[in-house]
Amino acid sequence: MTQKSTKSQESSNAIERLYITMRHLFNRGFYKPMGVSGETLREALLLLRPEIYGFIADKKAELNGLSYVIDRLPEGIEECQFINLTADEGYKSSHFKPIIPLKRRRNCYRIDKDQMNIEITRGRSEIYDILTHLTFLFIESNKIKNRILLDDEGTTIREWNYLEDVVIHHRVLTNNQREVVITHLTNVLGRTFEEIKWAVGQFAQKENPNKFFHTIYWMGKLALDEDLLNQKRSITFSTTLQERIGRHIYGEIWANSIKQKLEELNFLDRPIHIISANMHSVMNSLYATNALKNIELDPFSLYIQLSKEEHVGLRQEVREYALQHGMVFQKDNSGTNIDVQIIDTAQIDFKGSSFVSKKIGTPKPVLVVMDYAFGEQAFETMDELLKPYICNNGQTYLLKVKSISIMGKAGILEGDKGDIMIPSAHIFEGTADNYPFKNELEKKDLEGFGVNVYEGTMVTVLGTSLQNTNLLSFFHDSTWNAIGLEMEGAHYQKAIQSASKIRGNISEDVKVRYAYYASDNPLKTGSTLASGGLGTSGVRPTYAITQKILEQIFSQHE
């Protein structure tokens, strides 16, 4: 008797095929995304139908997914026939101006009108992320081509010709003229006037209000050129990138620069607490109330004000105060794109801070706050950071790491945006790997802040943009009892366990804390990552987690 595969098994198999194929194409060195070599990627993504890509398998265009992808790819990539993925190969010292995507920290370079180079310094997860987004972009471009092409001779519908005239001649449009273009696009994209008008506003930039029209035109234009003129689009991987990937080159440089700074500051003999978080919550929690004494607000109200775009001056005041009272900022120059703050708690005035009751003994702890890693990069950076350090005098130091705290954003499988998740274990998607641990943070610690708190297993996924309802429902409803998904937890824990339990690089008794706040709920329609960010609703969970992490750190030294 043949047992039929469940939808979750089919989805899991599709993800596995995607990653095996991407690794094969990477090792091969190049491929044509709309050719035979890219067919497996396209088919697997269409079978999977990830929630973040919405209507990818339908004939109509997917606008939410397109907005999400364009924000994470370099400006102008839709115009480029050739896309090259490279390592850090010296382009920063060239005349090429780096292009940094709005929602991804990576350097990209427009080489000429047809070629875009994307610099990969954050490991395989970054390659998977880019290739997945590009595959979506090519699928959507093909939909446009199929809707506008009337015959094999290249005759196109009049609505397309109208759009071409607007884009090629950079027409300045009145509101009425813009609505004419939107009306024509309803036929090109298969979406309603209201939906396209929303997308026009979503894409609009101050210097380019017609960015949506520009994006759609060039996506369709390159698909037409490939079909009619045989101008095949291609993606290549540089030889240097192939040689360097997985070798911890950037992570080692990054970690050594931090240890050198600790040596320079005479902090190697001090107790150290590593915190993976953003670059504002720890700093604001420790310094904001003292730096902004003239603002009479409770701490959480103050944090909300600091999170608003218009208050850049207030944020700068806090940063300058912090730099004068024990904080050292280390801008990343290694290529990892992970900045670091080193905070000497001996220089903090706790009397006016949110931790007024804390009386810390000696030696005072040092906080090493590292910005978010990306996927597999979490293992590379943490593994290198926890290794022994050989000083300039030849002496080897084992860092006195007392705790490692990880705060991040994650997708929640029960609850809503802004809720908090406390993991008891990380399971690694696509494998039998699982990482149970003693989490110093408990559900009860985060209750009372006005947000819901969930405790249980979390899934470390290969890519958040590949998850669909069937797969996530399986993780949530089966005996895995997963409460959420993220991309770094298992990678961090793998590095921590090997350093503390096997290699003896840090104490076996190191305290471990993990907590995540929900950026989206991929099981809820309209609540995926493509639906937009958290805004100020993310402030309370972020600072609640930060406060509890810091309270526990300080309690270790009372």
Side-chain angles (χ1 to χ4, degrees):
M1 179 180 175
T2 304
Q3 187 172 354
K4 189 177 179 180
S5 298
T6 64
K7 288 186 176 180
S8 63
Q9 287 171 330
E10 290 175 357
S11 298
S12 183
N13 290 337
I15 289 177
E16 187 176 4
R17 279 205 306 281
L18 274 165
Y19 283 101
I20 290 173
T21 303
M22 284 191 275
R23 292 189 80 145
H24 164 70
L25 295 173
F26 173 73
N27 291 332
R28 180 187 179 193
F30 75 97
Y31 77 102
K32 295 175 181 176
M34 296 309 295
V36 175
S37 52
E39 188 175 5
T40 303
L41 286 184
R42 301 195 309 273
E43 288 180 349
L45 201 62
L46 288 168
L47 174 64
L48 189 60
R49 300 190 186 193
E51 299 305 307
I52 209 161
Y53 296 145
F55 297 105
I56 186 174
D58 293 0
K59 290 183 178 179
K60 60 184 178 181
E62 167 50 39
L63 302 180
N64 269 320
L66 183 60
S67 174
Y68 179 85
V69 164
I70 289 296
D71 281 350
R72 285 154 178 80
L73 292 174
E75 186 89 20
I77 196 167
E78 69 277 0
E79 302 174 18
C80 296
Q81 181 184 351
F82 306 104
I83 299 170
N84 292 354
L85 274 59
T86 73
D88 179 357
E89 299 176 24
Y91 288 103
K92 61 169 65 75
S93 60
S94 71
H95 73 278
F96 298 115
K97 184 179 178 181
I99 304 169
I100 302 174
L102 185 64
K103 298 287 180 71
R104 282 284 187 267
R105 291 171 295 175
R106 56 174 69 109
N107 290 329
C108 309
Y109 301 91
R110 184 74 177 265
I111 305 303
D112 55 35
K113 70 181 183 65
D114 295 317
Q115 180 178 329
M116 181 73 75
N117 281 18
I118 302 177
E119 208 168 76
I120 306 295
T121 57
R122 308 179 77 182
R124 288 192 182 91
S125 294
E126 190 170 19
I127 295 174
Y128 301 153
D129 184 64
I130 291 169
L131 294 188
T132 306
H133 291 334
L134 288 175
T135 302
F136 166 83
L137 202 65
F138 294 130
I139 290 171
E140 290 297 311
S141 71
N142 228 38
K143 287 185 196 176
I144 296 169
K145 184 259 296 182
N146 291 338
R147 293 185 70 91
I148 63 176
L149 195 59
L150 289 174
D151 53 47
D152 293 338
E153 296 178 2
T155 307
T156 51
I157 61 176
R158 78 177 190 90
E159 291 91 339
W160 178 257
N161 300 332
Y162 190 95
L163 176 67
E164 183 173 50
D165 177 68
V166 168
V167 173
I168 294 299
H169 295 101
H170 305 286
R171 304 289 187 200
V172 177
L173 303 175
T174 64
N175 287 335
N176 287 342
Q177 290 170 330
R178 184 170 286 106
E179 290 191 349
V180 170
V181 183
I182 292 171
T183 301
H184 287 325
L185 282 179
T186 60
N187 198 24
V188 172
L189 301 177
R191 302 299 292 260
T192 67
F193 178 90
E194 184 180 32
E195 290 169 334
I196 295 173
K197 189 174 182 179
W198 169 86
V200 171
Q202 188 76 4
F203 277 67
Q205 300 170 332
K206 188 175 181 180
E207 66 281 6
N208 184 14
N210 297 329
K211 182 182 177 181
F212 181 73
F213 302 151
H214 184 280
T215 302
I216 295 300
Y217 171 73
W218 282 104
M219 286 171 62
K221 175 73 164 62
L222 262 62
L224 281 173
D225 289 348
E226 184 157 356
D227 202 36
L228 301 174
L229 306 177
N230 202 33
Q231 294 179 358
K232 303 295 185 184
R233 288 168 284 183
S234 70
I235 296 175
T236 59
F237 309 91
S238 76
T239 303
T240 305
L241 177 63
Q242 290 175 303
E243 290 172 351
R244 289 185 182 177
I245 206 75
R247 288 176 55 188
H248 288 205
I249 289 172
Y250 304 106
E252 183 178 11
I253 297 169
W254 173 83
N256 283 337
S257 70
I258 296 169
K259 294 168 191 175
Q260 286 166 7
K261 179 59 71 172
L262 291 172
E263 180 185 14
E264 180 186 316
L265 296 168
N266 293 317
F267 288 168
L268 288 177
D269 285 318
R270 299 265 292 274
I272 292 172
H273 297 265
I274 298 169
I275 304 174
S276 172
N278 49 60
M279 288 284 97
H280 59 81
S281 61
V282 174
M283 178 181 69
N284 288 343
S285 296
L286 293 173
Y287 296 110
T289 52
N290 276 326
L292 303 172
K293 287 179 178 177
N294 57 323
I295 299 179
E296 296 182 3
L297 290 172
D298 66 87
F300 277 92
S301 298
L302 182 59
Y303 303 148
I304 289 173
Q305 293 304 311
L306 285 167
S307 71
K308 294 179 178 178
E309 286 186 20
E310 63 266 27
H311 290 156
V312 62
L314 293 180
R315 292 195 292 275
Q316 186 59 28
E317 279 187 53
V318 175
R319 188 174 187 273
E320 288 175 1
Y321 177 89
L323 290 170
Q324 294 167 10
H325 293 80
M327 188 181 88
V328 174
F329 177 73
Q330 183 135 330
K331 179 74 177 171
D332 175 64
N333 293 311
S334 68
T336 62
N337 284 308
I338 300 177
D339 295 333
V340 170
Q341 296 163 342
I342 299 172
I343 298 174
D344 179 7
T345 61
Q347 297 186 49
I348 296 173
D349 177 10
F350 285 101
K351 290 180 181 177
S353 76
S354 299
F355 305 93
V356 63
S357 63
K358 293 300 172 187
K359 295 179 181 178
I360 304 175
T362 51
K364 299 281 194 298
V366 171
L367 310 181
V368 175
V369 185
M370 56 182 282
D371 207 346
Y372 295 122
F374 189 75
E376 289 185 14
Q377 187 191 35
F379 175 77
E380 175 179 342
T381 50
M382 189 62 72
D383 184 58
E384 293 296 332
L385 186 56
L386 299 180
K387 284 181 179 178
Y389 173 59
I390 302 175
C391 298
N392 292 329
N393 60 12
Q395 185 177 355
T396 299
Y397 267 88
L398 297 179
L399 296 184
K400 295 177 172 57
V401 178
K402 301 300 180 183
S403 77
I404 301 170
S405 303
I406 311 296
M407 178 181 74
K409 292 184 292 186
I412 197 167
L413 300 181
E414 51 181 301
D416 294 296
K417 286 184 178 183
D419 290 345
I420 291 174
M421 291 158 279
I422 307 294
S424 54
H426 287 110
I427 56 175
F428 195 37
E429 178 187 48
T431 72
D433 297 353
N434 53 85
Y435 300 87
F437 51 86
K438 169 66 172 69
N439 194 342
E440 296 298 315
L441 290 172
E442 299 178 6
K443 181 178 178 180
K444 65 181 182 181
D445 295 326
L446 276 304
E447 291 176 337
F449 286 97
V451 293
N452 294 321
V453 185
Y454 299 87
E455 195 168 30
T457 303
M458 292 191 70
V459 185
T460 299
V461 296
L462 293 162
T464 53
S465 60
L466 290 179
Q467 307 311 304
N468 68 7
T469 301
N470 298 323
L471 198 57
L472 296 176
S473 295
F474 165 74
F475 281 125
H476 180 253
D477 299 335
S478 70
T479 51
W480 286 115
N481 293 320
I483 59 170
L485 66 150
E486 46 75 52
M487 285 184 63
E488 291 81 31
H491 300 297
Y492 274 131
Q493 190 59 28
K494 181 165 59 173
I496 295 167
Q497 285 183 191
S498 65
S500 61
K501 308 293 184 185
I502 301 173
R503 301 162 83 176
N505 291 340
I506 60 174
S507 169
E508 190 174 354
D509 298 324
V510 65
K511 306 287 185 185
V512 177
R513 303 178 188 89
Y514 288 91
Y516 300 90
Y517 55 94
S519 57
D520 64 299
N521 184 334
L523 291 179
K524 283 190 175 182
T525 303
S527 293
T528 68
L529 282 170
S531 65
L534 277 167
T536 56
S537 64
V539 173
R540 186 163 293 276
T542 300
Y543 283 91
I545 295 169
T546 304
Q547 181 174 317
K548 287 300 174 182
I549 287 174
L550 292 173
E551 283 180 1
Q552 289 195 2
I553 288 173
F554 297 147
S555 294
Q556 284 183 242
H557 298 277
E558 285 182 343

